Amino acid sequence: MAQAADYTGPLFDAHLHYNEEAWNGSVGPHSPTDVLARMQQSGVKAIIANSRPNDGTKALASLEQTQQAGVTVVPFIRLYRNRADYDNWFRDETIYEMVQAEFARGVTGAQAGPYKGIGEFHLYDSANANGPVAKKLMQFAEKNQLAILAHVDDVAIDLLMAHAPGARLIWAHTGIGGAPAARVDALFAKYPLLMGELSYRPGLTCDAGKLCGEWRALLLKYPTRFMIGSDTWVNQRWQYYGELMKSYRVWLGGLPPDVARKIGWDNGAALFDLGRR
């Protein structure tokens, strides 16, 4: 049997961080020139940028260089000013105030405009999805038609969606703890607006980097609901950015071309009205 060719179309990176360890605005191992070159070389035409602090996202959006590289920035408001915020944001009123202030400002420069989402945020204990700030932020996002990028387990999906049933929630990693494909299927059926981002997803690929059977079936069942992402949460992920994107192209190539195009580009582009590339 002939080997399927890799997907060659545009990519939408739905989970990208440009954190201060990579570049703090003046120094760092991954300057804007460096990261934009990596995106260009990988055929990445748009990114959900969410950074700690938000300065990294604002820098990428503001630069003429980003536009010249053919990269559209979809800016999200990250909840973390520093690492201490990871464990406390869901009850910290100053985080809610920061999000409101950031939303009011928007981003400036070459790709000036409003923020399009909130996150990525983490909940290491699903019960904290009921924290007062978690609830308020879900409702704020729903009211302002902002997407949410949430690194949570399957239990927290139910809790978060109860706060804002009309919210557009992107499930970071589609369950990094390994929620079974059947559970993901049930949640997608229950919440028609729920989408899944696939970085670090356990059990996604099998032999030769191709999709495992149950995940291939799930992607074929919900072809408009999944997206790919790099999750450049540490600098090592930047160093291997090209390899990460290549690995997506391998398994996307094993899908019907229209489904590969949806997961690789169209689903993210449609969510944020970017059009075809």
Side-chain angles (χ1 to χ4, degrees):
M1 192 168 107
Q3 179 79 8
D6 293 354
Y7 169 74
T8 58
L11 292 176
F12 185 108
D13 184 343
H15 189 152
L16 183 140
H17 306 295
Y18 196 34
N19 293 336
E20 60 184 355
E21 305 93 79
W23 183 252
N24 70 3
S26 57
V27 296
H30 298 291
S31 67
T33 298
D34 176 83
V35 298
L36 290 168
R38 293 172 190 271
M39 293 178 214
Q40 273 190 299
Q41 291 161 9
S42 296
V44 171
K45 302 297 186 182
I47 58 173
I48 288 179
N50 68 109
S51 310
R52 172 183 42 77
N54 287 300
D55 296 352
T57 293
K58 291 186 282 189
L60 286 177
S62 71
L63 292 171
E64 294 282 354
Q65 188 179 2
T66 309
Q67 275 194 326
Q68 292 163 3
V71 176
T72 298
V73 177
V74 178
F76 275 35
I77 304 170
R78 194 91 192 267
L79 306 187
Y80 308 145
R81 300 157 297 193
N82 51 55
R83 288 196 173 276
D85 288 334
Y86 281 58
D87 299 314
N88 199 49
W89 68 268
F90 46 85
R91 56 177 166 241
D92 185 342
E93 285 292 334
T94 68
I95 296 290
Y96 184 68
E97 292 163 7
M98 181 267 286
V99 169
Q100 289 182 301
E102 204 60 68
F103 179 69
R105 278 193 296 266
V107 296
T108 59
Q111 297 190 46
Y115 281 99
K116 301 298 179 67
I118 293 173
E120 179 197 18
F121 61 69
H122 299 71
L123 288 172
Y124 301 114
D125 179 347
S126 55
N128 290 327
N130 287 326
V133 172
K135 181 176 181 180
K136 286 168 67 172
L137 283 173
M138 287 296 297
Q139 293 170 345
F140 180 82
E142 181 181 36
K143 177 184 176 183
N144 292 286
Q145 296 184 305
L146 298 172
I148 302 118
L149 181 62
H151 175 132
V152 298
D153 66 12
D154 56 304
V155 175
I157 293 290
D158 281 318
L159 297 175
L160 291 170
M161 292 303 294
H163 302 319
R168 173 68 83 176
L169 197 152
I170 302 168
W171 191 3
H173 320 297
T174 318
I176 199 167
R183 174 63 170 151
V184 176
D185 188 351
L187 287 168
F188 272 45
K190 184 176 181 180
Y191 303 114
L193 296 180
L194 179 64
M195 300 186 75
E197 180 273 320
L198 293 166
S199 63
Y200 282 110
R201 169 62 223 192
L204 181 68
T205 57
C206 287
D207 295 339
K210 297 294 186 180
L211 289 167
C212 298
E214 63 180 2
W215 276 93
R216 189 176 195 277
L218 199 58
L219 269 56
L220 291 173
K221 184 174 181 178
Y222 298 104
T224 63
R225 306 278 291 279
F226 288 101
M227 298 182 286
I228 60 98
S230 60
D231 192 10
T232 48
W233 68 286
V234 289
N235 288 342
Q236 185 183 38
R237 299 285 283 185
W238 280 117
Q239 294 161 22
Y240 294 100
Y241 191 87
E243 287 87 341
L244 288 168
M245 292 300 124
K246 168 68 173 174
S247 69
Y248 282 123
R249 290 187 180 279
V250 168
W251 64 250
L252 285 169
L255 292 167
D258 61 323
V259 176
R261 170 86 190 198
K262 286 182 172 70
I263 296 169
W265 172 261
D266 288 348
N267 295 343
L271 183 57
F272 300 105
D273 298 319
L274 302 187
R276 290 187 65 83
R277 295 289 169 96

